[in-house]
Every structure is written in C-alpha cells, then in structure tokens.
C-alpha cells in the first residue's frame, strides 16, 4: 500500500541483483500534497513544505559520513567476496571494519558468516549502525550544505577516487 518501489528495490539489492541505473530513464511524479496512499511522496512533499514555512532546514547525512559509509561498505564487500569466492577472509580486517562502523565484532562475524547475499548482510549492518555509536559520531547537516560539499567533492576528485 505504500513505498512499494522502495520495497522492490530493497528486495532486489538484498539478493545481490544487478540493477542498472541510466540517465536516459525519466520519471514523472505528481506534485500534489494529497496522495492516494498513506505514506508516499505526497506526504514527503507536505513535510518539506511545512518545514519551509517555519524555516526549519532539511537535515541530511554529510558528504563525509556518506563517503565513509561507502568506503566501509566496499571494504566489507571485498572481505565478503573473498569469503564467498575463496572460502577465506582476514578476520582482523573484519574486526577493523566492525570497529570503524561502530558494531560489535562478534555480531558482525556471525552475520558475515551466515549471510548468503551481501545485500542482505549490508541491510542488517546499516540498520544496526544507525542504532549504534555511528549515529552519535556523525551529525546531520542542512541539505544545501551537503549539496555544496558533494558538488565540491565531485569537481575536485577523479572518478576512480570518487567511486568507493
């Protein structure tokens, strides 16, 4: 009944499906504030509109937090691929990653070893991260500052450095 597109995307990434993203795809949405479902884009538009009326900035993750998260996700994926392809991984590397993303080492090792798909593992990791010290480590910032920072980063870093 709501957010079915997000649920579909989550289900696909959870099973490591390859998803192609193309700039050629165009999506048109309605700008109406009264939607047909309880939770959807119309609700988000209403919230943003209400925030603007009271001069409350939209707060989002900083570029620094996102880039850190992408880096650790990549490191965890490489570790997971090593386990999946060769049957071995560096336990110290996994412990280091656990420390960096503020997770219990034992919990991460257990989930790591029992996960059939990396996407499902990352879904659990990310959920756990945001209920750990990770949330206190990073403060959300106004969206305009985040856009400015990401734009600056994208203009000053080569593509190979930008891809985590």
């Amino acid at each position: 009944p709501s957010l079915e597109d997000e649920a579909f995307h989550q289900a696909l990434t959870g099973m490591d499906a390859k998803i192609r993203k193309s700039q050629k795809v165009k999506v048109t949405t309605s700008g109406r504030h009264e939607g047909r479902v309880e939770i959807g884009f119309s609700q988000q538009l209403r919230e943003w509109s209400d925030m603007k009326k009271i001069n409350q900035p939209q707060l989002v993750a900083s570029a620094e937090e996102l880039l850190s998260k992408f880096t650790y996700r990549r490191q965890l994926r490489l570790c997971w691929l090593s386990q999946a392809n060769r049957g071995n991984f560096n336990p110290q590397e996994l412990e280091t990653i656990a420390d960096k993303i503020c997770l219990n080492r034992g919990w991460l090792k257990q989930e790591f070893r029992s996960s059939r798909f990396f996407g499902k593992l990352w879904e659990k990791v990310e959920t756990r991260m945001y209920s750990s010290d990770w949330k206190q480590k990073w403060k959300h910032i106004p969206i305009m500052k985040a856009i400015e920072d990401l734009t600056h980063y994208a203009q000053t870093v080569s593509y190979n450095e930008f891809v985590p």
Side-chain angles (χ1 to χ4, degrees):
S2 61
L3 304 177
E4 67 279 358
D5 50 347
E6 289 185 31
F8 183 56
H9 181 267
Q10 188 175 13
L12 291 172
T13 57
M15 57 182 281
D16 297 340
K18 299 213 183 306
I19 300 172
R20 174 179 273 177
K21 297 176 183 175
S22 172
Q23 293 181 2
K24 294 178 183 177
V25 174
K26 300 292 181 204
V27 176
T28 304
T29 62
S30 166
R32 68 178 174 262
H33 289 208
E34 295 302 320
R36 292 177 286 196
V37 294
E38 188 176 329
I39 299 174
F41 191 54
S42 61
Q43 176 195 11
Q44 186 66 65
L45 289 174
R46 273 194 317 276
E47 287 179 19
W48 288 337
S49 179
D50 292 345
M51 290 171 74
K52 186 175 183 177
K53 288 175 187 171
I54 60 171
N55 282 337
Q56 181 182 358
Q58 297 172 36
L59 299 178
V60 298
S62 68
E64 197 175 41
E65 176 186 356
L66 292 173
L67 294 170
S68 293
K69 186 171 79 167
F70 296 154
T71 298
Y72 300 134
R73 181 179 188 267
R74 182 173 189 267
Q75 289 174 359
L76 186 60
R77 180 189 292 276
L78 291 173
C79 201
W80 187 86
L81 286 171
S82 179
Q83 161 77 14
N85 295 334
R86 295 193 300 266
N88 64 357
F89 68 97
N90 182 340
Q92 285 181 312
E93 186 177 356
L94 191 60
E95 289 177 359
T96 300
I97 295 168
D99 293 344
K100 297 279 186 185
I101 58 178
C102 305
L103 294 181
N104 176 279
R105 292 174 174 187
W107 178 86
L108 183 58
K109 280 183 187 176
Q110 179 181 345
E111 291 299 326
F112 181 87
R113 287 191 172 122
S114 65
S115 292
R116 182 173 171 207
F117 298 110
F118 178 79
K120 208 49 144 167
L121 170 65
W122 182 252
E123 185 181 314
K124 292 176 186 178
V125 164
E126 197 169 28
T127 298
R128 196 94 173 216
M129 280 170 60
Y130 287 110
S131 62
S132 74
D133 289 342
W134 178 269
K135 192 173 181 178
Q136 280 68 48
K137 185 176 180 178
W138 303 99
K139 299 297 177 209
H140 281 173
I141 62 172
I143 193 168
M144 295 311 293
K145 173 72 172 136
I147 291 169
E148 180 184 311
D149 292 348
L150 285 169
T151 301
H152 174 75
Y153 186 80
Q155 292 170 347
T156 58
V157 177
S158 76
Y159 178 77
N160 288 335
E161 290 174 293
F162 187 74
V163 176

